[in-house]
Amino acid sequence: MADVFRALDDETRRLILDELVARNGQTLFEICGVLVSRHGVSSTRQAISQHLAVLEEAGLVVTERRGRSKFHYFDGGPLTAITRRWPATGRDPS
Amino acid sequence: MADVFRALDDETRRLILDELVARNGQTLFEICGVLVSRHGVSSTRQAISQHLAVLEEAGLVVTERRGRSKFHYFDGGPLTAITRRWPATGRDPS
DNA sequence: AGGATAGGCAAGCGACTACTTGCCTATCAA
DNA sequence: TTGATAGGCAAGTAGTCGCTTGCCTATCCT
């Protein structure tokens, strides 16, 4: 569970999740391209690869290898643990 | 929104939220005590105070001062932004 | 086979973070 | 007023994180 929060604590990784939700099953190079074009993220391919590794380790991204390409899919399953641990409602200062 | 993820990316801060959910409106010293007794957290009072400041800056904790005491209340409002940004459902690897 | 494409591994560096230490302010009780 | 309680401020330090750089492996196409 700590991996999920660590993975979410980075703007680039959050943007990657956004792009995977918008278009699922992208490759590393596709993600690099869309991060540069739609957001001003100017990171190297290795940086994005490491981000994807963190997201995959957290279970937020599932990969599927076909040939020399690796497709990345979003998985929001681990997110349910957050609102299951703490109520997402307001406070109660009596 | 980045403050929320940064605040959640720490086990001690997550434990603090747990304890505030279990018993709302605790003071700094009470939180220090319960962190030591119920979990093996051996941090100084200042460390916990800094954690509470991070949680408060993220809006996850709301404080209320009365006299020389400061009471801390959990607020799960910022958590709704998480599942509103990404679907908390499973993947779809077609 | 040879080049091009898609991705992986690992070391090094700068910045940030959690934590401690030391001292200070404010409130309450005797 | 004096002491004790509850908390705040700031500097220093060790460890972690994001990123780059350089090189390597695997797959596809001609």
Side-chain angles (χ1 to χ4, degrees), chain B residues 6-70:
Chain B
R6 189 178 96 77
L8 291 177
D9 185 20
D10 187 276
E11 179 60 22
T12 303
R13 286 196 285 266
R14 291 193 290 267
L15 290 175
I16 290 176
L17 291 185
D18 288 340
E19 292 304 323
L20 285 184
V21 167
R23 190 164 82 85
N24 221 2
Q26 298 191 57
T27 67
L28 171 60
F29 277 81
E30 289 174 329
I31 295 173
C32 286
V34 78
L35 283 181
V36 169
S37 63
R38 296 178 50 132
H39 319 86
V41 179
S42 64
S43 296
T44 55
R45 173 183 57 86
Q46 286 80 355
I48 307 300
S49 178
Q50 289 170 4
H51 282 310
L52 286 170
V54 173
L55 288 170
E56 189 175 0
E57 197 173 2
L60 290 166
V61 163
V62 178
T63 62
E64 179 193 7
R65 187 133 207 183
R66 257 199 316 253
R68 61 180 164 179
S69 293
K70 189 176 179 183

Side-chain angles (χ1 to χ4, degrees), chain A residues 30-91:
Chain A
E30 288 174 330
I31 295 173
C32 286
V34 79
L35 283 182
V36 169
S37 62
R38 298 179 47 134
H39 318 86
V41 179
S42 64
S43 295
T44 55
R45 173 183 58 86
Q46 286 81 356
I48 308 300
S49 178
Q50 288 170 3
H51 281 310
L52 286 171
V54 173
L55 288 169
E56 188 174 2
E57 197 173 1
L60 290 166
V61 162
V62 179
T63 62
E64 178 193 7
R65 188 134 207 183
R66 260 201 310 257
R68 61 180 164 178
S69 293
K70 189 176 180 183
F71 301 96
H72 301 264
Y73 301 93
F74 170 78
D75 188 351
L79 294 178
T80 62
I82 300 177
T83 49
R84 215 181 319 117
R85 180 168 183 175
W86 304 292
T89 67
R91 63 198 168 95

